[in-house]
Amino acid sequence: MSNKVSLTTQNRLIIFGLLLSTVLIIAIAIFAIFNIQKKLNEGYHNFGQVISKTLAIESVEITKNLPANKMQETLKKHSESILKSHNDIVFIEFRDADGNIIYSGKNQLASMNKTNIRVTSPLTAIGETNPIGSVTVGLSGSIISQISSTTRASLLFVFAVAWLVFAFVILINTYLITRELRILQHGVKKISTGEFGYKIETKDVSSEIEELFNAFNDMSARLHIYEEQNIDRIMLERNKFESVLMSIANGVVVCDDNDNVVLINSNAQNLLEVTESQFLNTQIQQYIDTSGNECFKDKIEQFKDTPLDIIEKKPIEFNITVDNRVIKSIISPMFTRNKDYVGYIIVLIDMTKEAEMDKLRAGFISNVSHELRTPVTVLRSYIDTLHNYGDEFDEPTKKEFIGTINQEIIRLNRMVNDILDFSRLEANTELEKEQNNIETLIEECAKQVDVLTKERNLRISVNKISTPPEFMFNYNSIERALTNYLSNAIKYSPDNGEIKIILNYSKDKDEVEVAVSDEGCGISPEHQKKIFDRFYRVENDTHTIKGTGLGLNLVKTTIEKHHGGRVFVHSQVGHGSTFGFILPTVIVEETANI
Ligand code: ADP
């Protein structure tokens, strides 16, 4: 648009310049012609006066002392000879002092011409003051008109040529400048469309314009370098931003103020089970969770209905469920540095574990209360019976009663110990370690559970593959870990089953492996993954088999956190399980304190 306007202005200027120069040249031409004509007329007038004066002097001289009749004839002769020799003289007229015509002769050749100038001179004899008559010469002015028309034509021609040359020069010059400006304009257009580095050809241009073109090319090259540097910087910033976003453990979804998704990190893609290409540039409200609900829709509406200053201080929080995963979603507004609202950001936090943990915790409390209530009820009733009716029972019955009381107390004690151990082991206090013999520990543990195995008619054996050296460990905690494995094996073994304790030492790896295998019900792979989690129980909803879900977690904490080892389980449903732990015989300081 602006270019068109500037060209029109330029054209107007050219036209105005040409018109002005035309007017000036015409004015100068008219002035010159007028002046020349005036001078010519004056000269011609003078010429007429010279002729008439000369004629007057000659006529006085040649008619001096002649009689009147001779005088007329002499004047006639003289006049005719003059008329013949000058085509421009139309007539000659002599008058006496009274004004009467003495002689009047006309030029036959010039008779067709009009008399334009009349010049009269007095006829005065030499030495006399009074004129004796007058002579009038009539001039046609044909010479002068010829000279003036020739002069006018020549002048007009000269001025016309000069004007044409001038106009031509102006037009050529304008064309050349315009052409160069067009090249420059083209270059500027390229730059404005982002084609930095575009070069203008500097060949065949005037030196001033060449300088301008060189400056333009220089500027374009600098812009190109700047752009590359800028792109590098922007890419670096973007990469940094992206890697920060990608490494955030939570999901992040960024939407513009039209609810279009403009950014989604990989964690959000995993949580929402979408791909970036599917999700980008779609409306967040349209997202459908696994149960087919538009789970963001209502909350986005609520977000939009709430004033920004309130929402900024208290973002909207809600839970959504995608494929059995509980995802906490937090919507907060986004502002530029100038505090202009540009959209919102949704942070997604996987709360599945926490939700499960809450459930497990609730189960644990219910289990613990149940586990505590049962032995306490049993104890109360047995002790009550013994106290009130003890005398009525024989010795073996009393012994059986006391045996049951003893067993319940042992179980109660174990449970209370488990709970105490749990908080003790969870704390970061380091367990004291000494050089101990793991074989002795295994034998003692086997002895401890002897009564329980006999009750169920279970066989227990120790299978030593290689003999380990003594090494540093906390005796009591490892003993409790192995007892845990053993009591679980007993608990879940069928009557008459076999339980094996396997001991292996790897000298190469400096590791001792202890495993307990049973022929029990086994555990499915899905449960195996979670079995070492705290409070986790396979039979969580029922109280069929007693327990708190703490035992295996205590083993894991003891082995991994306090001894730098690892725990494992191999199991097949219906075929039994093998639970074990591996302990390093050479303790690396850092792992010991984990
Ligand atoms: P609990 O005190 O409830 O037994 P544990 O942490 O010791 O808690 O065990 C967690 C779960 O692991 C138990 O609920 C049980 O289902 C399963 N489990 C442990 N040991 C065995 C085993 N030897 N055979 C089958 N299931 C087992």
Side-chain angles (χ1 to χ4, degrees), residues 395-412:
E395 270 316 298
T397 317
K398 278 186 193 166
K399 249 190 166 175
E400 198 194 314
F401 270 38
I402 289 166
T404 313
I405 289 170
N406 193 34
Q407 251 184 39
E408 288 302 319
I409 285 174
I410 289 170
R411 211 149 64 84
L412 210 59

PDB file of all heavy atoms in Angstrom, residues 395-412:
ATOM      1  N   GLU A 395      -5.082 -82.113  85.885  1.00  0.00           N
ATOM      2  CA  GLU A 395      -3.787 -81.503  85.559  1.00  0.00           C
ATOM      3  C   GLU A 395      -3.543 -81.400  84.046  1.00  0.00           C
ATOM      4  O   GLU A 395      -3.137 -80.334  83.554  1.00  0.00           O
ATOM      5  CB  GLU A 395      -2.643 -82.299  86.228  1.00  0.00           C
ATOM      6  CG  GLU A 395      -2.251 -81.841  87.626  1.00  0.00           C
ATOM      7  CD  GLU A 395      -2.130 -80.351  87.820  1.00  0.00           C
ATOM      8  OE1 GLU A 395      -1.275 -79.697  87.161  1.00  0.00           O
ATOM      9  OE2 GLU A 395      -2.915 -79.792  88.630  1.00  0.00           O
ATOM     10  N   PRO A 396      -3.771 -82.494  83.258  1.00  0.00           N
ATOM     11  CA  PRO A 396      -3.495 -82.378  81.818  1.00  0.00           C
ATOM     12  C   PRO A 396      -4.326 -81.269  81.142  1.00  0.00           C
ATOM     13  O   PRO A 396      -3.822 -80.532  80.284  1.00  0.00           O
ATOM     14  CB  PRO A 396      -3.898 -83.743  81.264  1.00  0.00           C
ATOM     15  CG  PRO A 396      -3.885 -84.662  82.439  1.00  0.00           C
ATOM     16  CD  PRO A 396      -4.181 -83.854  83.648  1.00  0.00           C
ATOM     17  N   THR A 397      -5.611 -81.119  81.570  1.00  0.00           N
ATOM     18  CA  THR A 397      -6.448 -80.056  80.958  1.00  0.00           C
ATOM     19  C   THR A 397      -5.873 -78.689  81.296  1.00  0.00           C
ATOM     20  O   THR A 397      -5.784 -77.794  80.436  1.00  0.00           O
ATOM     21  CB  THR A 397      -7.898 -80.156  81.476  1.00  0.00           C
ATOM     22  OG1 THR A 397      -8.285 -81.504  81.493  1.00  0.00           O
ATOM     23  CG2 THR A 397      -8.858 -79.330  80.625  1.00  0.00           C
ATOM     24  N   LYS A 398      -5.450 -78.554  82.603  1.00  0.00           N
ATOM     25  CA  LYS A 398      -4.865 -77.262  83.017  1.00  0.00           C
ATOM     26  C   LYS A 398      -3.628 -76.959  82.182  1.00  0.00           C
ATOM     27  O   LYS A 398      -3.414 -75.843  81.709  1.00  0.00           O
ATOM     28  CB  LYS A 398      -4.486 -77.317  84.504  1.00  0.00           C
ATOM     29  CG  LYS A 398      -5.620 -77.064  85.446  1.00  0.00           C
ATOM     30  CD  LYS A 398      -5.049 -77.006  86.853  1.00  0.00           C
ATOM     31  CE  LYS A 398      -6.163 -77.082  87.880  1.00  0.00           C
ATOM     32  NZ  LYS A 398      -5.622 -77.359  89.207  1.00  0.00           N
ATOM     33  N   LYS A 399      -2.793 -78.030  81.944  1.00  0.00           N
ATOM     34  CA  LYS A 399      -1.560 -77.854  81.167  1.00  0.00           C
ATOM     35  C   LYS A 399      -1.879 -77.404  79.735  1.00  0.00           C
ATOM     36  O   LYS A 399      -1.226 -76.521  79.176  1.00  0.00           O
ATOM     37  CB  LYS A 399      -0.795 -79.176  81.125  1.00  0.00           C
ATOM     38  CG  LYS A 399       0.487 -79.129  81.911  1.00  0.00           C
ATOM     39  CD  LYS A 399       1.285 -80.352  81.633  1.00  0.00           C
ATOM     40  CE  LYS A 399       2.685 -80.101  82.141  1.00  0.00           C
ATOM     41  NZ  LYS A 399       3.511 -81.252  82.027  1.00  0.00           N
ATOM     42  N   GLU A 400      -2.937 -78.011  79.175  1.00  0.00           N
ATOM     43  CA  GLU A 400      -3.332 -77.668  77.811  1.00  0.00           C
ATOM     44  C   GLU A 400      -3.775 -76.207  77.738  1.00  0.00           C
ATOM     45  O   GLU A 400      -3.385 -75.457  76.832  1.00  0.00           O
ATOM     46  CB  GLU A 400      -4.474 -78.590  77.391  1.00  0.00           C
ATOM     47  CG  GLU A 400      -4.664 -78.626  75.882  1.00  0.00           C
ATOM     48  CD  GLU A 400      -5.982 -79.268  75.501  1.00  0.00           C
ATOM     49  OE1 GLU A 400      -6.318 -80.322  76.056  1.00  0.00           O
ATOM     50  OE2 GLU A 400      -6.677 -78.650  74.643  1.00  0.00           O
ATOM     51  N   PHE A 401      -4.558 -75.828  78.792  1.00  0.00           N
ATOM     52  CA  PHE A 401      -4.998 -74.424  78.875  1.00  0.00           C
ATOM     53  C   PHE A 401      -3.808 -73.476  78.905  1.00  0.00           C
ATOM     54  O   PHE A 401      -3.725 -72.503  78.166  1.00  0.00           O
ATOM     55  CB  PHE A 401      -5.849 -74.234  80.150  1.00  0.00           C
ATOM     56  CG  PHE A 401      -7.319 -74.468  79.913  1.00  0.00           C
ATOM     57  CD1 PHE A 401      -7.766 -75.483  79.060  1.00  0.00           C
ATOM     58  CD2 PHE A 401      -8.268 -73.682  80.576  1.00  0.00           C
ATOM     59  CE1 PHE A 401      -9.116 -75.687  78.868  1.00  0.00           C
ATOM     60  CE2 PHE A 401      -9.637 -73.886  80.358  1.00  0.00           C
ATOM     61  CZ  PHE A 401     -10.056 -74.893  79.518  1.00  0.00           C
ATOM     62  N   ILE A 402      -2.862 -73.806  79.788  1.00  0.00           N
ATOM     63  CA  ILE A 402      -1.687 -72.927  79.946  1.00  0.00           C
ATOM     64  C   ILE A 402      -0.858 -72.914  78.659  1.00  0.00           C
ATOM     65  O   ILE A 402      -0.340 -71.868  78.243  1.00  0.00           O
ATOM     66  CB  ILE A 402      -0.851 -73.367  81.177  1.00  0.00           C
ATOM     67  CG1 ILE A 402      -1.639 -73.008  82.449  1.00  0.00           C
ATOM     68  CG2 ILE A 402       0.517 -72.669  81.214  1.00  0.00           C
ATOM     69  CD1 ILE A 402      -1.138 -73.636  83.713  1.00  0.00           C
ATOM     70  N   GLY A 403      -0.775 -74.067  77.986  1.00  0.00           N
ATOM     71  CA  GLY A 403      -0.057 -74.141  76.695  1.00  0.00           C
ATOM     72  C   GLY A 403      -0.669 -73.174  75.679  1.00  0.00           C
ATOM     73  O   GLY A 403       0.039 -72.413  74.998  1.00  0.00           O
ATOM     74  N   THR A 404      -2.029 -73.202  75.613  1.00  0.00           N
ATOM     75  CA  THR A 404      -2.716 -72.293  74.667  1.00  0.00           C
ATOM     76  C   THR A 404      -2.447 -70.839  75.042  1.00  0.00           C
ATOM     77  O   THR A 404      -2.160 -69.991  74.179  1.00  0.00           O
ATOM     78  CB  THR A 404      -4.240 -72.560  74.693  1.00  0.00           C
ATOM     79  OG1 THR A 404      -4.452 -73.951  74.620  1.00  0.00           O
ATOM     80  CG2 THR A 404      -4.943 -71.852  73.551  1.00  0.00           C
ATOM     81  N   ILE A 405      -2.526 -70.586  76.390  1.00  0.00           N
ATOM     82  CA  ILE A 405      -2.267 -69.203  76.854  1.00  0.00           C
ATOM     83  C   ILE A 405      -0.859 -68.784  76.439  1.00  0.00           C
ATOM     84  O   ILE A 405      -0.640 -67.682  75.913  1.00  0.00           O
ATOM     85  CB  ILE A 405      -2.441 -69.119  78.398  1.00  0.00           C
ATOM     86  CG1 ILE A 405      -3.943 -69.238  78.746  1.00  0.00           C
ATOM     87  CG2 ILE A 405      -1.879 -67.798  78.940  1.00  0.00           C
ATOM     88  CD1 ILE A 405      -4.204 -69.420  80.234  1.00  0.00           C
ATOM     89  N   ASN A 406       0.086 -69.720  76.602  1.00  0.00           N
ATOM     90  CA  ASN A 406       1.475 -69.428  76.269  1.00  0.00           C
ATOM     91  C   ASN A 406       1.611 -69.092  74.782  1.00  0.00           C
ATOM     92  O   ASN A 406       2.254 -68.103  74.404  1.00  0.00           O
ATOM     93  CB  ASN A 406       2.343 -70.639  76.641  1.00  0.00           C
ATOM     94  CG  ASN A 406       3.812 -70.262  76.610  1.00  0.00           C
ATOM     95  OD1 ASN A 406       4.162 -69.130  76.930  1.00  0.00           O
ATOM     96  ND2 ASN A 406       4.651 -71.192  76.192  1.00  0.00           N
ATOM     97  N   GLN A 407       0.966 -69.926  73.947  1.00  0.00           N
ATOM     98  CA  GLN A 407       1.046 -69.704  72.495  1.00  0.00           C
ATOM     99  C   GLN A 407       0.479 -68.347  72.096  1.00  0.00           C
ATOM    100  O   GLN A 407       1.064 -67.619  71.291  1.00  0.00           O
ATOM    101  CB  GLN A 407       0.224 -70.778  71.808  1.00  0.00           C
ATOM    102  CG  GLN A 407       1.104 -71.778  71.097  1.00  0.00           C
ATOM    103  CD  GLN A 407       0.264 -72.775  70.339  1.00  0.00           C
ATOM    104  OE1 GLN A 407      -0.747 -72.423  69.748  1.00  0.00           O
ATOM    105  NE2 GLN A 407       0.692 -74.025  70.392  1.00  0.00           N
ATOM    106  N   GLU A 408      -0.654 -67.991  72.716  1.00  0.00           N
ATOM    107  CA  GLU A 408      -1.286 -66.711  72.385  1.00  0.00           C
ATOM    108  C   GLU A 408      -0.398 -65.552  72.813  1.00  0.00           C
ATOM    109  O   GLU A 408      -0.290 -64.546  72.117  1.00  0.00           O
ATOM    110  CB  GLU A 408      -2.673 -66.597  73.062  1.00  0.00           C
ATOM    111  CG  GLU A 408      -3.740 -67.486  72.465  1.00  0.00           C
ATOM    112  CD  GLU A 408      -3.969 -67.245  70.976  1.00  0.00           C
ATOM    113  OE1 GLU A 408      -3.973 -66.078  70.531  1.00  0.00           O
ATOM    114  OE2 GLU A 408      -4.123 -68.233  70.230  1.00  0.00           O
ATOM    115  N   ILE A 409       0.243 -65.750  73.970  1.00  0.00           N
ATOM    116  CA  ILE A 409       1.134 -64.687  74.452  1.00  0.00           C
ATOM    117  C   ILE A 409       2.327 -64.534  73.518  1.00  0.00           C
ATOM    118  O   ILE A 409       2.739 -63.418  73.191  1.00  0.00           O
ATOM    119  CB  ILE A 409       1.561 -64.957  75.917  1.00  0.00           C
ATOM    120  CG1 ILE A 409       0.374 -64.631  76.842  1.00  0.00           C
ATOM    121  CG2 ILE A 409       2.774 -64.112  76.311  1.00  0.00           C
ATOM    122  CD1 ILE A 409       0.576 -64.979  78.286  1.00  0.00           C
ATOM    123  N   ILE A 410       2.854 -65.707  73.019  1.00  0.00           N
ATOM    124  CA  ILE A 410       3.989 -65.644  72.080  1.00  0.00           C
ATOM    125  C   ILE A 410       3.558 -64.874  70.817  1.00  0.00           C
ATOM    126  O   ILE A 410       4.269 -64.000  70.331  1.00  0.00           O
ATOM    127  CB  ILE A 410       4.485 -67.069  71.719  1.00  0.00           C
ATOM    128  CG1 ILE A 410       5.188 -67.706  72.935  1.00  0.00           C
ATOM    129  CG2 ILE A 410       5.439 -67.044  70.534  1.00  0.00           C
ATOM    130  CD1 ILE A 410       5.503 -69.181  72.778  1.00  0.00           C
ATOM    131  N   ARG A 411       2.348 -65.202  70.316  1.00  0.00           N
ATOM    132  CA  ARG A 411       1.862 -64.542  69.097  1.00  0.00           C
ATOM    133  C   ARG A 411       1.673 -63.033  69.315  1.00  0.00           C
ATOM    134  O   ARG A 411       2.093 -62.202  68.493  1.00  0.00           O
ATOM    135  CB  ARG A 411       0.530 -65.162  68.666  1.00  0.00           C
ATOM    136  CG  ARG A 411       0.335 -65.143  67.163  1.00  0.00           C
ATOM    137  CD  ARG A 411      -0.483 -66.324  66.711  1.00  0.00           C
ATOM    138  NE  ARG A 411      -1.834 -66.282  67.265  1.00  0.00           N
ATOM    139  CZ  ARG A 411      -2.810 -65.577  66.700  1.00  0.00           C
ATOM    140  NH1 ARG A 411      -2.585 -64.849  65.650  1.00  0.00           N
ATOM    141  NH2 ARG A 411      -4.011 -65.596  67.223  1.00  0.00           N
ATOM    142  N   LEU A 412       1.113 -62.740  70.493  1.00  0.00           N
ATOM    143  CA  LEU A 412       0.894 -61.334  70.848  1.00  0.00           C
ATOM    144  C   LEU A 412       2.230 -60.595  70.924  1.00  0.00           C
ATOM    145  O   LEU A 412       2.380 -59.484  70.400  1.00  0.00           O
ATOM    146  CB  LEU A 412       0.195 -61.287  72.219  1.00  0.00           C
ATOM    147  CG  LEU A 412      -0.723 -60.104  72.483  1.00  0.00           C
ATOM    148  CD1 LEU A 412      -1.833 -60.040  71.462  1.00  0.00           C
ATOM    149  CD2 LEU A 412      -1.344 -60.238  73.884  1.00  0.00           C
TER     150      LEU A 412
END
